[in-house]
Amino acid sequence: MSTTTQKLSSLPLPPGSLGLPIIGESISFLKERNFAAKRQQKYGSIFKTHIFGRPTVVMVGAEANQFLFKNENKYVTSTWPKTTRVLLGPASLSVQIGDFHTSRRKLLFQAFQPRALASYLPTMERITAEYLQQWESSGTLTWYPELRNYTFDIASSLIVGIENGSKTALGKLFEEWGAGLFSLFIPLPGTTFSKALRSRQGLLKLIGQITLKRQQQGNLGEDALGILLQARDEDGNSLSLDELKDQILVLLFAGHETLTSAIASFCLLTAQHPEVLEKIRAEQQHLSVSAPLTMEKLKQMTYLEQVLKEVMRLIPPVGGGFREVIEPFEFNGYFIPKGWIVQYQIIQTHKDREIYQDSESFSPERFAAETTQEKQKAFAYIPFGGGLRECLGKEFARLEMRIFASMLVTSYEWELLPEQNLEMVSIPTPHPRDGLKVKFRRL
Ligand code: HEM
């Protein structure tokens, strides 16, 4: 043991409980949406627990986020449970680490550059209009599953060029694959994991067929797949077919549930706060918003942007991120050993009362440009994570949310149906327990 490690290990471990033998506190972690809040109240903003078979330290707050994001690859590195790793695939951006990860991120980012995003706008607008019309003709609906189909259809169209993806083989395979992503690693016939693994093979085959067809036709396409087929890394090399398939899969996966949750929360919170909805509508009217939408027009929707920011502050689609400790370190006087897992906390960071007054209330005004609050918030507003692993699809997500919200509020109204359970379920991403039942009509 080096002197530094000896010095470090003489420091105390963070307070907290490791729970029961073997399972630790995994069940409470999965079941309780306020798992971290309760423990933070009891132990402070850094505490230990034991989840998914590993001792884990939860670190809450802007300083902790900054420390972890800045020390990616030095003290910590990204980590996933074995099931997730196998199902995402060895070449997936999410499981890559170090310099190779950084280089691949750069390459994949070509599908999210401003020019690419602008080319996605008309498709997003068209699919949004189609869904809005469908919902209008339904009259009443359970919105959350519909919103899942909607975000998947946009992703499948813009990532692999498949229209109505949720109703095709791609959608079916994707559902089975997704169901196993965080299941137990039991590679035996009939288990959720094995079914998901079989679906992964199906998905890869499908992506391979689409790619081959494009190559044969000499038209690579202008969606994300087309962009990635033409992309080159720093050495001028393109992605191999195997890697391309894994990368397409991670793009389909990373944006699906997260974006659905953000949009559903927007629908819920604006239904509960009609005064906010009125202000969004007033802004749309003031800007004379009409089809077709343009990037310039969307950028002018500053109040809508505040609302969307506040939606993701209050109900962040991703609760936090996990890292593995690759080098022991000290944080706030505590020893964090090598091999332990660290979680940065998005939910609790966004509830910090010193930064967000009245942090439990929905108040888009807190993000108004004239308030100074905004400036003091480095690493305190992190719905998309941060540092080297910040969300790659952040601008894609922000674009889709703005298009959806703008088109929805300008032409439609919706009302929450009575006697439904609006309590938030957090798995796979936050959504109301009964799926958000609404009456939906044209304004
Ligand atoms: C509101 C919607 C979204 C939210 C809240 C969100 C949130 C996040 C967060 C918190 C991370 C970092 C996880 C970590 O630190 O370990 C992340 C990573 C990622 N996101 Fe998103 N995301 C959203 C939408 C999307 C979309 C639409 C795409 C792609 C189409 C996407 C692609 C990715 C990818 C590829 C990564 C991994 C980046 C890496 O490991 O370098 N996300 N996202």
Side-chain angles (χ1 to χ4, degrees):
M1 212 191 260
S2 73
T3 329
T4 336
T5 315
Q6 259 170 2
K7 249 198 238 159
L8 275 178
S9 58
S10 66
L11 294 171
L13 287 166
S17 158
L18 297 180
L20 298 167
I22 306 174
I23 59 164
E25 298 194 299
S26 307
I27 295 173
S28 313
F29 180 83
L30 289 173
K31 290 218 158 137
E32 297 168 14
R33 182 147 169 86
N34 58 359
F35 176 91
K38 271 205 226 149
R39 283 157 183 79
Q40 188 186 351
Q41 208 170 25
K42 191 164 172 194
Y43 304 116
S45 16
I46 173 165
F47 59 87
K48 66 175 178 296
T49 174
H50 196 282
I51 44 179
F52 311 128
R54 305 281 292 269
T56 301
V57 173
V58 178
M59 292 169 60
V60 182
E63 266 176 45
N65 301 332
Q66 178 167 21
F67 180 88
L68 292 171
F69 295 151
K70 292 211 160 158
N71 286 300
E72 181 89 45
N73 296 333
K74 184 177 177 196
Y75 294 135
V76 294
T77 193
S78 178
T79 184
W80 293 93
K82 187 163 183 187
T83 308
T84 320
R85 242 183 306 135
V86 172
L87 289 173
L88 283 171
S92 172
L93 183 74
S94 288
V95 304
Q96 289 166 347
I97 52 172
D99 291 345
F100 189 67
H101 164 257
T102 310
S103 150
R104 278 307 187 244
R105 245 185 98 91
K106 227 164 143 187
L107 187 145
L108 294 189
F109 188 66
Q110 295 181 29
F112 297 101
Q113 274 170 353
R115 193 153 35 99
L117 293 174
S119 76
Y120 299 157
L121 195 165
T123 304
M124 288 186 179
E125 192 175 8
R126 173 179 55 78
I127 298 176
T128 307
E130 286 165 10
Y131 267 89
L132 290 169
Q133 277 158 22
Q134 270 177 44
W135 297 333
E136 184 191 348
S137 53
S138 302
T140 57
L141 64 140
T142 305
W143 217 349
Y144 185 73
E146 289 286 325
L147 290 169
R148 284 186 85 236
N149 289 343
Y150 160 73
T151 59
F152 190 74
D153 282 3
I154 291 192
S156 63
S157 176
L158 290 175
I159 294 173
V160 282
I162 293 186
E163 287 292 311
N164 299 314
S166 60
K167 292 170 196 75
T168 65
L170 180 82
K172 190 169 176 286
L173 287 166
F174 189 82
E175 280 295 312
E176 270 170 19
W177 173 77
L181 216 48
F182 296 98
S183 64
L184 292 176
F185 183 77
I186 312 175
L188 292 173
T191 61
T192 312
F193 170 74
S194 297
K195 285 185 201 156
L197 195 59
R198 210 180 41 225
S199 304
R200 170 178 154 81
Q201 300 311 331
L203 285 166
L204 298 185
K205 195 168 155 203
L206 207 63
I207 300 168
Q209 285 165 347
I210 300 169
T211 309
L212 190 68
K213 197 165 155 203
R214 290 188 189 191
Q215 284 167 331
Q216 282 168 346
Q217 291 173 342
N219 179 4
L220 298 179
E222 278 162 18
D223 51 13
L225 175 62
I227 295 173
L228 296 186
L229 276 167
Q230 294 166 74
R232 299 289 177 270
D233 65 13
E234 294 91 338
D235 302 322
N237 298 317
S238 54
L239 293 175
S240 71
L241 183 59
D242 280 345
E243 179 170 354
L244 184 73
K245 290 183 202 166
D246 278 0
Q247 300 295 23
I248 289 293
L249 199 53
V250 77
L251 295 186
L252 284 172
F253 151 71
H256 181 41
E257 303 283 3
T258 46
L259 206 37
T260 310
S261 171
I263 288 175
S265 300
F266 171 83
C267 298
L268 171 67
L269 289 166
T270 45
Q272 290 172 328
H273 296 271
E275 72 292 354
V276 171
L277 189 54
E278 277 322 303
K279 276 184 84 171
I280 305 175
R281 286 202 176 112
E283 180 182 68
Q284 299 288 311
Q285 242 169 15
H286 176 70
L287 294 172
S288 309
V289 175
S290 61
L293 287 168
T294 61
M295 294 301 260
E296 290 65 39
K297 197 55 105 187
L298 289 163
K299 275 192 202 124
Q300 291 167 17
M301 300 175 186
T302 49
Y303 183 68
L304 177 59
E305 182 57 23
Q306 283 172 45
V307 176
L308 292 169
K309 274 187 97 166
E310 177 66 347
V311 166
M312 286 192 292
R313 182 195 68 80
L314 198 58
I315 313 180
V318 178
F322 290 96
R323 299 289 185 266
E324 176 163 356
V325 180
I326 49 172
E327 193 59 39
F329 62 88
E330 174 267 324
F331 188 80
N332 277 4
Y334 293 114
F335 171 52
I336 317 294
K338 184 174 172 174
W340 281 40
I341 300 294
V342 172
Q343 191 205 29
Y344 71 85
Q345 260 284 329
I346 300 179
I347 302 179
Q348 286 309 104
T349 297
H350 288 183
K351 295 215 168 133
D352 188 335
R353 290 211 181 93
E354 283 183 17
I355 296 162
Y356 302 109
Q357 283 165 18
D358 202 5
S359 66
E360 293 292 337
S361 75
F362 179 62
S363 168
E365 277 61 33
R366 69 173 88 246
F367 287 114
E370 59 271 16
T371 66
T372 49
Q373 225 180 18
E374 180 80 334
K375 292 200 186 73
Q376 305 157 355
K377 276 190 290 189
F379 301 99
Y381 180 75
I382 51 159
F384 294 105
L388 293 173
R389 303 204 85 101
E390 190 185 32
C391 177
L392 194 73
K394 175 177 159 183
E395 294 307 325
F396 182 105
R398 291 182 61 222
L399 178 64
E400 190 171 323
M401 285 188 279
R402 261 177 295 163
I403 293 173
F404 171 84
S406 163
M407 293 175 73
L408 175 74
V409 305
T410 45
S411 306
Y412 297 90
E413 60 181 0
W414 62 103
E415 196 184 305
L416 300 174
L417 292 179
E419 290 175 29
Q420 62 174 314
N421 192 343
L422 290 172
E423 182 204 352
M424 282 295 185
V425 182
S426 45
I427 300 210
T429 48
H431 63 277
R433 189 172 290 280
D434 282 352
L436 195 60
K437 295 174 192 294
V438 293
K439 191 182 269 180
F440 192 88
R441 59 182 163 253
R442 191 169 272 275
L443 266 176

